[in-house]
Amino acid sequence: TGTATGFECFPQTQASETHEQSLRFARLLATQMQQAGATLRGEAGVRYAFYEEDGNGGYTKVIQEESYEFDTDAQTFGVLEKTQCPAVLAEQCFLSNSSDYEAWATPQGCQRAARVYYEAICRYFGTQPIAQA
């Protein structure tokens, strides 16, 4: 409908050995995106996604805020579950929302978002970002 807006990222669930590192990076990234002007979805832009059995042999996707306590064996997105290093899945904007599109999906917006990701990665590793030209 074009009404959904904002940034959110999903860290690995508590079942992952690298959950704490993933959560730390997700928080850094959400903070950096907010400072760059993004609206954060949910409480603070960091959410968990997992799947619950629906009783009919299928699964239902559930999105919960970072503060949610859940079953540590819950399945999440494969890209987060199958990696052996800290990872997050970031959704930087909704293409169906014109203001999100203008802010983050244009060439200038993509360049700004890339800088935000780069600086969050530098912060995560404790390195100094190279100044923009």
Side-chain angles (χ1 to χ4, degrees):
T1 64
T3 59
T5 186
F7 172 87
E8 62 189 347
C9 61
F10 302 93
Q12 294 163 310
T13 64
Q14 294 168 354
S16 170
E17 291 180 15
T18 54
H19 169 257
E20 288 300 320
Q21 297 98 327
S22 172
L23 180 58
R24 185 170 72 86
F25 181 65
R27 289 174 176 157
L28 281 170
L29 184 54
T31 299
Q32 294 286 114
M33 286 297 288
Q34 185 176 41
Q35 289 172 356
T39 301
L40 299 182
R41 292 179 60 81
E43 293 172 359
V46 178
R47 303 168 117 182
Y48 289 103
F50 58 95
Y51 296 90
E52 290 182 337
E53 290 187 45
D54 64 10
N56 297 318
Y59 292 89
T60 300
K61 181 169 63 172
V62 178
I63 305 292
Q64 291 290 351
E65 299 303 322
E66 176 188 344
S67 59
Y68 180 73
E69 297 285 331
F70 59 90
D71 177 3
T72 59
D73 293 329
Q75 290 182 309
T76 188
F77 298 118
V79 69
L80 297 175
E81 213 168 74
K82 301 202 183 305
T83 185
Q84 296 178 5
C85 65
V88 301
L89 175 66
E91 296 182 346
Q92 79 186 39
C93 67
F94 286 82
L95 295 177
S96 58
N97 182 291
S98 60
S99 32
D100 269 14
Y101 178 85
E102 289 298 319
W104 300 105
T106 62
Q108 298 83 6
C110 287
Q111 190 170 30
R112 191 168 82 233
R115 183 69 192 190
V116 170
Y117 287 109
Y118 167 68
E119 289 180 3
I121 291 167
C122 288
R123 280 211 167 127
Y124 178 83
F125 285 108
T127 61
Q128 185 65 34
I130 297 169
Q132 286 183 282

